[in-house]
Amino acid sequence: MTSERIVLPNLPQNDAPEELLQQYGCGPIKFNGSNNALYERHLLFDNALPSSEVGNRERYEAAARSVRDILSQRWQQTDQAYNQENPKRIYYLSMEFLIGRSLSNNILNLRLEPLVGQFLKENQLDELAILAEEPDAGLGNGGLGRLAACFLDSMAAMQLPGMGYGLRYEYGIFKQTIVDGWQQEQPDNWLRRPDPWEVARPQHAVTVELGCSFEVRGGNLKAITGAPSKLLGIPYDRPIVGYGGKTINTLRLWASAAPNSFDFQEFSAGEFVSALAESLTAETVTRVLYPDDSTSMGQGLRFVQEYFLVACSLADLIRRFRMNNSDWNNLPDKVAIQLNDTHPSLAVAELMRILLDDAALGWERAWDITKRSLAYTNHTLLPEALEKWPLRWFELMLPRHLQIIGKIDRLLRQEAMVRWPDDQGRVERAAVIEPGGGLVRMAHLAIVGSHSTNGVAAIHSRLLRDVTVRDLAELYPERFNNKTNGITPRRWLLLSNPDLSNCITNAIGDRWITKTEDLERLKPLADDGEFLGAVRMAKRRAKLRFAEWLKSQAGIRVDPDTIFDSQIKRIHEYKRQLLNALRIVALYNRIRENPHIDMPPRTFFFAGKAAPAYHVAKLIIKFLNNLADTIDGDPATRGRLQVVFIPEYCVSVAERLVPASDVSNQISTAGYEASGTSNMKFMMNGALTLGTRDGATIEMADAAGEENFFLFGLTAEQVAASQGWYSPWWHYENEQETRAVLDLILSGHFSRYEPVLADAMRNILLTGGDTYRHLADFTSYMEADMRLQSLYAKPQDWTRMVVRNLAGSGRFSSDRTISEYASAIWNAKPCLVP
Ligand code: 26Q
């Protein structure tokens, strides 16, 4: 594997608005004598409304359509350049793309900001109100989906011929409200109004064949055997603007529909309506995103969704390959397919089917081409989250794929038997089809059928190889590698934190936007009093802006002169929001016991969704809300401690809260968080990390220097070694503060009329064995928190540490991650668009 770096293009230098429009192929277009012709036209004509009835939603649509007009020629030119140059293309297959909003991001990447600023001023428009009209495209659960979106941004910025393939869910991740402290879910009908960013391409629709038909019963699919059926996949394209606007790549999302050829002649007149109604069943396939929830596994509809994504995307990319290439043997030289977790791992069987049955290649050829074209990324070690699908479903829906998987399994077992002739147990452990259980192990299928398997942080890749799939890693050691995650600095610093961005640019110039290694040049400025003052000022502005937004959105007042201490991510036991709660209760106790104690005032922020069927996670949300209410209502801690649970966590909320945070909590049980990516967002926005040695946090501390991190707790090795003997009772009985905190919680202090809550906490933290080691790490968490409190008392020292973190954060740009994928896995090169 080579590790040659791809060099990003330099920033375009022509900043004059007119030249920019020229560059995108749009000369000045006058309408009614106005320079804002595009916008005015869309505003007047698209909704056929009199100007008296135009509101911010219409203004948003007109603005977005204008931006799309501006980018559309460049978008086509990108496509043409790829068709002419015929470069090796990268296809990122993912069930999730957590995009968030696009208008401000596209304006930023097209570098249209001066133009838009001028325009808003001339027309006296409320920019924030207009931007807020765009719904978040919430087509993902969390980290895995947001990573896919950051990767698309980086590929476009680096002028790589990359394309995303996903599903056009009608309903994204559910909307969260909090009622009496409990999470309630509402459907996210994000397409209620037309989405200006998508372009339907019905001419490229694809037909998908299944071995049976379906009815929808009780919210799930019921198979009707012996009646093969077809689905139509209709592509909807979204532009992915690379920074500088040179390359505009495509995210292609598939919507399911009943096939065109639906033969109404076969139905008598009386059956016309019922025949049409069947098309509704076809459309259910892409109706809704499944919430990440280990227990929801085993849903038939999810299985069909996964196959639908794979079948549509492979048919599409093979069609494109065949336009320019005649020899199937060249597929791996022209196509790299990256599987985002096992969710699209049916691609192994589907590509084999195409090569065997459509291209009529022999098994050996087909198998070699398949492996060299595919690569797999793993995002979790939790055994309960590794996908396994029943053989029975393959029999029903994908009988040909089952034959192929059966043969892959037999050949793998033969190979394993040659390697370990006396160890049948090992052979069974390596197999694709689980012994006895009648289940297909999708991770094994992905590893066997691809040339690369990577984890998403160094520790995760090591545990994956040495523990989780050890046997396969010994069979195919050369396939295993690490690609530490990253985030795009365009959305997560330049766009979301203008104050800090300006401060950085004033100090070191703006090359960091595409070359984040440049942030290292901030290091010497950690001793520059003037620069530290500027950073402190920028942080303060971000906090003020956030406080204002929170007041206007949720009616919650927070004090920007307190430490903003945040934990925002999916609610999961292993992420240990409850450990954070224990810390807050301890601080609360300390103030109540000693009202004169010297402690900096703090505001604790929580935000995150619980999977609707994850009962314990929902209890955790309830507990956090009770904690917030109790502390709010207690005069003893007023003005000193405040706890806020922000409902409806999403990309747009993160874009506001991350820049305003002083402290980032990354406190998962070591060995459980594959990487984390919000940890990187906080680091790049000038927050200090309180964290365990888990995921990418380890590498972040390494990059900034451990002395600039507040690390605490058991290591992954210590967690694993304590498996046999760990007991939370020891900590309860021997640690005074641990006991005081638990006693207060179990007394019902935070759950007066809700005894079930205190019972649940007792079970999670004590009687149930404390699987996630909250009590084991509590004391050292408090010690780290004390170190952080003392540092805060010395503002100069605090900001110095912030700057050292910023200076070390450059490595966690997704540009770096993508350049490693491109050179070591994809062997792909930039393709310049003239
Ligand atoms: C699977 C089957 C059925 C229904 C849902 C799912 C499902 C959906 C989403 C399973 C998992 C997910 C999402 C996982 C995820 O976001 N993992 C995170 O990936 C990040 C990017 O690599 C890491 O930084 C995080 O550590 C990891 O938790």
Side-chain angles (χ1 to χ4, degrees), residues 96 141-145 147 290-293 296-297 302 306 343 379 385 387 389 456 485 574-575 673-677:
E96 309 197 357
N141 276 284
L144 167 150
L147 184 76
Y290 271 88
D292 166 22
D293 171 9
S296 76
M297 221 142 0
R302 167 85 182 183
E306 292 185 356
H343 313 158
H379 297 265
E387 286 189 296
W389 292 115
V456 289
N485 282 167
Y574 83 79
K575 294 179 190 279
E673 188 70 271
S675 160
T677 43

Side-chain angles (χ1 to χ4, degrees), residues 374-652:
L374 297 176
Y376 157 62
T377 305
N378 173 284
H379 297 265
T380 185
L381 301 176
L382 298 182
E384 69 269 26
L386 293 174
E387 286 189 296
K388 290 172 190 174
W389 292 115
L391 281 177
R392 174 77 191 136
W393 293 358
F394 283 87
E395 260 165 44
L396 280 172
M397 298 183 221
L398 305 172
R400 176 66 179 130
H401 298 76
L402 181 58
Q403 284 182 336
I404 292 168
I405 290 171
K407 181 155 175 183
I408 293 172
D409 182 59
R410 278 196 303 280
L411 292 172
L412 169 66
R413 283 165 186 268
Q414 279 170 19
E415 202 177 331
M417 235 121 65
V418 172
R419 178 73 185 270
W420 304 300
D422 316 309
D423 197 342
Q424 185 58 25
R426 270 200 115 166
V427 174
E428 298 290 354
R429 282 207 304 274
V432 171
I433 298 176
E434 200 164 74
L439 295 170
V440 180
R441 296 164 168 158
M442 301 311 281
H444 291 213
L445 181 63
I447 294 167
V448 179
S450 67
H451 69 281
S452 167
T453 293
N454 75 281
V456 289
I459 182 183
H460 165 69
S461 297
R462 185 161 47 74
L463 290 172
L464 178 69
R465 193 192 55 205
D466 296 349
V467 183
T468 314
V469 290
R470 187 173 160 176
D471 306 294
L472 286 174
E474 279 183 32
L475 268 185
Y476 310 116
E478 70 292 345
R479 294 184 194 180
F480 282 74
N481 66 96
N482 172 246
K483 295 288 167 283
T484 300
N485 282 167
I487 58 167
T488 168
R490 270 77 61 181
R491 182 181 288 264
W492 294 109
L493 181 49
L494 185 59
L495 182 62
S496 64
N497 201 341
D499 299 303
L500 190 60
S501 294
N502 285 331
C503 177
I504 295 170
T505 298
N506 289 338
I508 60 167
D510 65 2
R511 265 186 19 152
W512 62 269
I513 298 167
T514 50
K515 298 176 169 56
T516 47
E517 316 84 275
D518 255 33
L519 292 173
E520 267 169 46
R521 294 174 49 205
L522 293 173
K523 209 165 173 189
L525 299 179
D527 297 309
D528 177 333
E530 203 178 317
F531 182 67
L532 295 183
V535 170
R536 217 173 6 258
M537 185 97 84
K539 274 312 282 190
R540 190 171 165 75
R541 284 222 196 89
K543 287 170 83 171
L544 284 168
R545 192 148 23 94
F546 175 76
E548 216 162 274
W549 173 82
L550 191 63
K551 195 171 76 195
S552 72
Q553 287 295 300
I556 302 172
R557 280 172 192 280
V558 293
D559 178 1
D561 288 321
T562 61
I563 303 179
F564 281 8
D565 180 304
S566 305
Q567 188 178 15
I568 52 177
K569 45 183 82 250
R570 286 301 284 259
I571 312 293
H572 241 289
E573 287 166 278
Y574 83 79
K575 294 179 190 279
R576 294 200 297 193
Q577 279 89 359
L578 279 185
L579 178 59
N580 194 349
L582 294 181
R583 174 182 64 138
I584 296 167
V585 172
L587 298 177
Y588 173 70
N589 262 343
R590 287 181 192 178
I591 295 177
R592 295 198 317 157
E593 276 163 22
N594 177 5
H596 299 295
I597 192 171
D598 185 24
M599 194 190 284
R602 303 176 78 157
T603 307
F604 299 96
F605 293 100
F606 289 96
K609 293 177 183 178
Y614 190 173
H615 182 62
V616 173
K618 291 180 123 177
L619 283 167
I620 293 172
I621 289 180
K622 170 65 175 162
F623 183 74
L624 296 175
N625 279 287
N626 280 19
L627 185 69
D629 286 351
T630 307
I631 291 183
D632 221 27
D634 194 331
T637 48
R638 190 147 311 144
R640 304 185 69 178
L641 292 185
Q642 186 181 3
V643 182
V644 179
F645 188 98
I646 302 171
E648 181 46 24
Y649 182 51
C650 59
V651 170
S652 292

Side-chain angles (χ1 to χ4, degrees), residues 327-338:
D327 187 351
W328 286 100
N329 288 309
N330 290 337
L331 191 75
D333 304 322
K334 291 294 173 189
V335 165
I337 302 167
Q338 192 68 35

Side-chain angles (χ1 to χ4, degrees), residues 553-807:
Q553 287 295 300
I556 302 172
R557 280 172 192 280
V558 293
D559 178 1
D561 288 321
T562 61
I563 303 179
F564 281 8
D565 180 304
S566 305
Q567 188 178 15
I568 52 177
K569 45 183 82 250
R570 286 301 284 259
I571 312 293
H572 241 289
E573 287 166 278
Y574 83 79
K575 294 179 190 279
R576 294 200 297 193
Q577 279 89 359
L578 279 185
L579 178 59
N580 194 349
L582 294 181
R583 174 182 64 138
I584 296 167
V585 172
L587 298 177
Y588 173 70
N589 262 343
R590 287 181 192 178
I591 295 177
R592 295 198 317 157
E593 276 163 22
N594 177 5
H596 299 295
I597 192 171
D598 185 24
M599 194 190 284
R602 303 176 78 157
T603 307
F604 299 96
F605 293 100
F606 289 96
K609 293 177 183 178
Y614 190 173
H615 182 62
V616 173
K618 291 180 123 177
L619 283 167
I620 293 172
I621 289 180
K622 170 65 175 162
F623 183 74
L624 296 175
N625 279 287
N626 280 19
L627 185 69
D629 286 351
T630 307
I631 291 183
D632 221 27
D634 194 331
T637 48
R638 190 147 311 144
R640 304 185 69 178
L641 292 185
Q642 186 181 3
V643 182
V644 179
F645 188 98
I646 302 171
E648 181 46 24
Y649 182 51
C650 59
V651 170
S652 292
V653 169
E655 284 169 6
R656 291 177 175 279
L657 182 51
V658 170
S661 296
D662 299 303
V663 179
S664 156
N665 285 273
Q666 306 298 336
I667 59 176
S668 51
T669 317
Y672 283 85
E673 188 70 271
S675 160
T677 43
S678 75
N679 46 3
M680 303 167 184
K681 292 164 197 163
F682 281 110
M683 185 189 195
M684 246 186 225
N685 279 274
L688 299 183
T689 306
L690 257 173
T692 47
R693 291 174 177 82
D694 201 13
T697 304
I698 299 175
E699 292 159 70
M700 287 163 39
D702 197 47
E706 279 212 14
E707 68 283 7
N708 298 306
F709 260 63
F710 297 95
L711 294 180
F712 70 91
L714 299 178
T715 61
E717 287 68 34
Q718 291 168 324
V719 170
S722 72
Q723 214 57 259
W725 53 265
Y726 173 72
S727 162
W729 291 104
W730 186 91
H731 297 279
Y732 179 77
E733 278 151 15
N734 293 283
E735 295 163 1
Q736 189 268 323
E737 191 162 45
T738 307
R739 187 166 58 251
V741 164
L742 279 167
D743 284 346
L744 189 64
I745 293 171
L746 302 186
S747 77
H749 184 79
F750 304 101
S751 50
R752 203 130 306 157
Y753 306 103
E754 294 153 320
V756 285
L757 253 195
D759 289 347
M761 296 303 127
R762 179 183 297 105
N763 186 43
I764 300 169
L765 297 170
L766 284 170
T767 50
D770 184 19
T771 314
Y772 295 99
R773 307 293 194 271
H774 296 83
L775 300 199
D777 281 350
F778 171 70
T779 304
S780 82
Y781 188 25
M782 293 311 296
E783 283 164 12
D785 191 82
M786 283 305 285
R787 281 183 269 137
L788 180 138
Q789 289 183 41
S790 344
L791 186 73
Y792 195 76
K794 294 175 259 170
Q796 193 85 347
D797 292 357
W798 178 281
T799 313
R800 182 172 298 121
M801 200 178 273
V802 165
V803 171
R804 290 185 177 141
N805 269 267
L806 269 177

Side-chain angles (χ1 to χ4, degrees), residues 192-217:
R192 191 177 357 226
R193 309 201 57 171
D195 186 285
W197 301 113
E198 65 177 18
V199 183
R201 309 250 186 235
Q203 68 275 25
H204 288 144
V206 174
T207 306
V208 174
E209 299 186 17
L210 291 160
C212 62
S213 307
F214 301 97
E215 284 172 355
V216 186
R217 282 255 186 93

